[in-house]
Amino acid sequence: MAGGKIKKPKPGKSEAVSHYQGGVPFHKSKGQHILKNPMLVETIVQKSGIKPTDVVLEIGPGTGNLTKKLLEAAKSVISVELDPRMVLELQRRFQGTPLSNKLKVIQGDVLKCDLPYFDICVANIPYQISSPLTFKLLSHRPAFRCAVIMFQREFAMRLVAQPGLRQKVDSSVVRIEPRKPLPPVSFKEWDGLVRLCFNRKNKTLGSIFRQKSVILLLEKNYKTLQSLQNGSSGVEDDLGVLGDTTEDISMEVDGGRDDNDEMDVEDGDGNAGDESDFKEKVLGVLRQGDFEEKRSSKLTQKSTFLYLLSLFNKAGIHFSSS
């Protein structure tokens, strides 16, 4: 298991489990699943294109079926595993073998860990961390050569599908190669914008950006940056102290609010007037790029969202620290 919380089952409540090597129970409700098919394991290793000089980052090794093949092909393997039971099983499996010196195991949540240097990433992950893990990998520096990840098929198809298409749920192995050169964009900012837009992908962008919670969060970063720039060095240094609004925005937008939560500000209150001015500034950016009536589900991510992010940044509006 790669990320998320491990919870003990409450007394009296049963949970569907599967027993594999060593009798270790896998909890499907927590996203744990094992690669049992040897042909699939071989395919993943082959598609990874591992060289004998490569350092491989493995996320969610479980009991080590894939780990063994990676160790045989690579210079070394760094495995990140959240579940302490799986960590013990993994260490026990390779203890005393010639492969043990090539393996380093990190126990922890991959979404919270500082990732070390690696050339290739191979991951068999709980599907619920697909999006945040993808963005974390893409923001890692130095850039890796490729990542081969087992995604839920619906997520995998959304990575490559044309706007508006939907797919049935299954699993797919996806190979990701960072663009060279890398796009001139902060991946944290990109993540913040895209999460915000796609939490309600069928709403218009104008409707999404009119929400009071969104306006307040973006205005907080805007004012922080403006204050710092009035008496400090440069924009790049200032961006580093901005709050990361990605999670806060996601929680607010995804918390059951609807478009009736849009902010209608009265001019009688000074603060309300300031907020109203900033709201118009945000909506002005959308109008500048003809985005106000557009819906995220109908837009392509390659150029359109990069353009939208650039318009916001030029107006001094940021979604996260760089």
Side-chain angles (χ1 to χ4, degrees):
M1 187 173 182
K5 296 180 180 178
I6 298 179
K7 298 180 181 178
K8 295 181 179 179
K10 294 182 179 180
K13 289 190 176 182
S14 60
E15 183 177 11
V17 298
S18 300
H19 294 270
Y20 294 110
Q21 290 164 305
V24 179
F26 278 68
H27 301 282
K28 292 184 178 180
S29 65
K30 298 182 178 68
Q32 293 182 322
H33 51 276
I34 193 170
L35 294 176
K36 297 186 293 181
N37 187 335
M39 292 296 294
L40 177 57
V41 172
E42 289 288 350
T43 298
I44 290 175
V45 175
Q46 184 181 46
K47 295 295 183 183
S48 301
I50 300 172
K51 301 175 182 177
T53 55
D54 283 338
V55 176
V56 176
L57 174 70
E58 183 188 20
I59 301 172
T63 56
N65 287 348
L66 179 57
T67 311
K68 181 175 183 296
K69 295 296 183 180
L70 296 175
L71 287 168
E72 292 171 350
K75 175 183 177 181
S76 63
V77 175
I78 302 168
S79 295
V80 181
E81 174 58 61
L82 176 67
D83 193 335
R85 302 169 307 148
M86 302 303 170
V87 171
L88 290 174
E89 181 65 23
L90 198 64
Q91 292 172 334
R92 186 182 302 116
R93 180 169 186 175
F94 296 104
Q95 187 175 16
T97 71
L99 298 176
S100 62
N101 293 332
K102 300 170 66 175
L103 175 64
K104 178 181 178 180
V105 182
I106 298 175
Q107 181 181 334
D109 187 335
V110 70
L111 297 181
K112 299 176 182 178
C113 291
D114 291 329
L115 299 179
Y117 170 87
F118 62 94
D119 299 293
I120 291 175
C121 175
V122 178
N124 177 31
I125 60 173
Y127 293 144
Q128 61 266 28
I129 71 168
S130 296
S131 181
L133 176 62
T134 300
F135 279 105
K136 178 164 186 173
L137 291 176
L138 290 174
S139 64
H140 185 267
R141 297 294 180 271
F144 55 91
R145 191 164 76 249
C146 80
V148 178
I149 305 174
M150 175 77 81
F151 285 128
Q152 186 178 43
R153 184 169 178 80
E154 181 183 20
F155 180 85
M157 292 299 100
R158 280 158 54 191
L159 286 177
V160 299
Q162 294 298 316
L165 295 182
R166 300 289 291 172
Q167 301 292 333
K168 294 182 178 179
V169 176
D170 204 340
S171 296
S172 291
V173 176
V174 176
R175 178 184 170 104
I176 298 174
E177 295 185 17
R179 288 178 176 270
K180 295 181 181 179
L182 292 169
V185 63
S186 161
F187 281 104
K188 286 187 177 180
E189 283 229 67
W190 170 263
D191 191 18
L193 172 65
V194 172
R195 281 174 183 267
L196 174 59
C197 293
F198 278 88
N199 262 307
R200 294 187 169 184
K201 63 182 184 298
N202 292 317
K203 299 287 185 181
T204 64
L205 292 177
S207 175
I208 291 172
F209 280 91
R210 279 186 175 89
Q211 293 179 90
K212 182 175 182 178
S213 55
V214 173
I215 293 292
L216 291 177
L217 285 166
L218 293 179
E219 185 179 25
K220 181 180 178 181
N221 260 4
Y222 177 79
K223 288 184 175 180
T224 299
L225 182 58
Q226 291 296 307
S227 176
L228 288 168
Q229 286 179 330
N230 286 335
S232 69
S233 54
V235 177
E236 291 184 1
D237 293 333
D238 293 337
L239 286 178
V241 302
L242 292 180
D244 188 343
T245 60
T246 300
E247 183 176 352
D248 292 335
I249 289 175
S250 297
M251 291 174 62
E252 291 285 351
V253 178
D254 201 30
R257 299 173 183 263
D258 56 28
D259 291 331
N260 292 326
D261 190 34
E262 293 177 6
M263 180 167 64
D264 295 318
V265 184
E266 305 244 344
D267 288 334
D269 186 307
N271 291 332
D274 291 343
E275 292 168 353
S276 179
D277 289 343
F278 184 76
K279 174 184 174 183
E280 286 306 312
K281 184 179 184 68
V282 171
L283 296 180
V285 172
L286 295 179
R287 296 183 188 115
Q288 179 185 350
D290 195 27
F291 286 106
E292 191 173 17
E293 299 303 319
K294 300 289 178 63
R295 303 175 193 273
S296 301
S297 60
K298 305 299 181 183
L299 297 175
T300 60
Q301 77 174 41
K302 279 186 179 179
S303 58
T304 309
F305 286 104
L306 283 173
Y307 176 52
L308 177 58
L309 181 58
S310 72
L311 291 178
F312 274 120
N313 287 172
K314 286 177 182 177
I317 299 171
H318 293 270
F319 296 82
S320 173
S321 57
S322 59

